Amino acid sequence: MMKRCLSVLLLSCTPTAVALAADAPPRVGPGRLAEALHRAAPGVDREVLAMATHAMACTLRRGDADVPMRRLSVIDYSRPSTQPRLWVFDLEKARLLFEERVAHGRNTGENLATRFSNATGSYMSSLGAFVTQEAYRGSNGYSLRLQGLEPGFNDKARERAIVIHGAPYVSDALVRSQGRLGRSLGCPAVSTAVARPLIDSIRGGSFVFAYYPDPAWLKQSRLLSADCGSGVAARPVSSAAGR
């Protein structure tokens, strides 16, 4: 059923045309998936979820990632680092698997993220859509490589070694002592306790969407445009997320 519903996404490029249950029809109305995910995680912004599901649909339609996307991870960098701002969803059951704090790059901001980059050596986080690749053990322990799907915004992720990994500076103790999480070299770092189960749940071809209301990205991302970057004039996805 999931494969059939993803085929509908490919054909229609609607943001939320994934069926939500085994007995669901192959087509559902716009907004169904985002609304179902919001019910599972009311703390996530509805419009950010709508953009994430739209970007995933466009990725499938464009053929940018030929993988079974059974998981969706959403990072909302517009939230402070002291709050949970990473959510991982099981799309087949429309349920929440993880709700976590996540660190941003040291040059992206203090408690609040403000700057993003695709440049090597910037020590900034990157925005946009990614697909997860292989897990490995490196200098930061168990980690997960990411493939950036957005030219100019995150397509150097693998070259920059932008990976999901655990870090001791993602902790309650650090939030209490300095009023923010520690910061990475650009990676979306999570707590060491959750790193392995989270990585194992999303490795090998799931969708990751990192959001911030950055004007250039919102305007130029082909995965956020209503026509999925086909060049046909169309009304873009809204650029303002409201809680």
Side-chain angles (χ1 to χ4, degrees):
M1 172 58 67
M2 190 63 178
K3 185 179 292 185
R4 179 175 63 167
C5 295
L6 290 177
S7 296
V8 173
L9 276 170
L10 275 164
L11 291 171
S12 66
C13 196
T14 58
T16 54
V18 176
L20 302 178
D23 58 352
R27 291 182 182 273
V28 296
R32 274 286 295 280
L33 178 58
E35 284 304 311
L37 298 182
H38 188 264
R39 288 193 295 272
V44 194
D45 185 274
R46 278 187 173 91
E47 193 161 351
V48 173
L49 281 172
M51 284 189 276
T53 53
H54 179 84
M56 183 173 65
C58 285
T59 297
L60 291 165
R61 180 182 180 183
R62 293 173 57 88
D64 291 343
D66 186 18
V67 291
M69 293 185 185
R70 299 186 179 92
R71 300 283 190 270
L72 168 64
S73 303
V74 177
I75 301 172
D76 186 350
Y77 282 126
S78 70
R79 295 172 179 261
S81 72
T82 52
Q83 295 181 7
R85 54 180 182 172
L86 163 63
W87 298 266
V88 178
F89 296 96
D90 177 340
L91 294 179
E92 293 178 306
K93 298 180 180 178
R95 67 186 180 98
L96 179 67
L97 300 178
F98 296 91
E99 183 177 39
E100 305 294 334
R101 291 190 181 115
V102 61
H104 54 248
R106 67 171 60 166
N107 289 334
T108 281
E110 296 289 329
N111 187 32
L112 293 172
T114 58
R115 300 176 298 278
F116 299 86
S117 177
N118 191 39
T120 301
S122 67
Y123 296 161
M124 294 186 196
S125 299
S126 296
L127 297 175
F130 304 79
V131 170
T132 64
Q133 297 189 308
E134 77 276 13
Y136 69 100
R137 182 166 292 279
S139 59
N140 289 303
Y142 197 57
S143 305
L144 179 63
R145 298 194 194 279
L146 299 173
Q147 175 190 355
L149 301 177
E150 306 221 41
F153 293 102
N154 67 19
D155 59 332
K156 292 183 180 179
R158 183 143 184 144
E159 173 187 327
R160 295 177 62 204
I162 300 301
V163 303
I164 296 175
H165 64 80
Y169 51 75
V170 181
S171 69
D172 292 340
L174 209 59
V175 168
R176 289 192 296 269
S177 67
Q178 66 180 25
R180 62 166 172 81
L181 295 183
R183 294 165 299 169
S184 68
L185 299 183
C187 298
V190 298
S191 73
T192 53
V194 78
R196 178 172 284 275
L198 188 151
I199 287 170
D200 283 343
S201 75
I202 65 173
R203 65 181 182 177
S206 70
F207 197 74
V208 178
F209 183 80
Y211 168 82
Y212 183 81
D214 177 78
W217 171 63
L218 291 169
K219 181 179 180 179
Q220 298 172 34
S221 172
R222 62 190 181 187
L223 298 180
L224 293 182
S225 66
D227 67 342
C228 298
S230 68
V232 178
R235 182 177 180 271
V237 175
S238 173
S239 62
R243 291 181 176 80

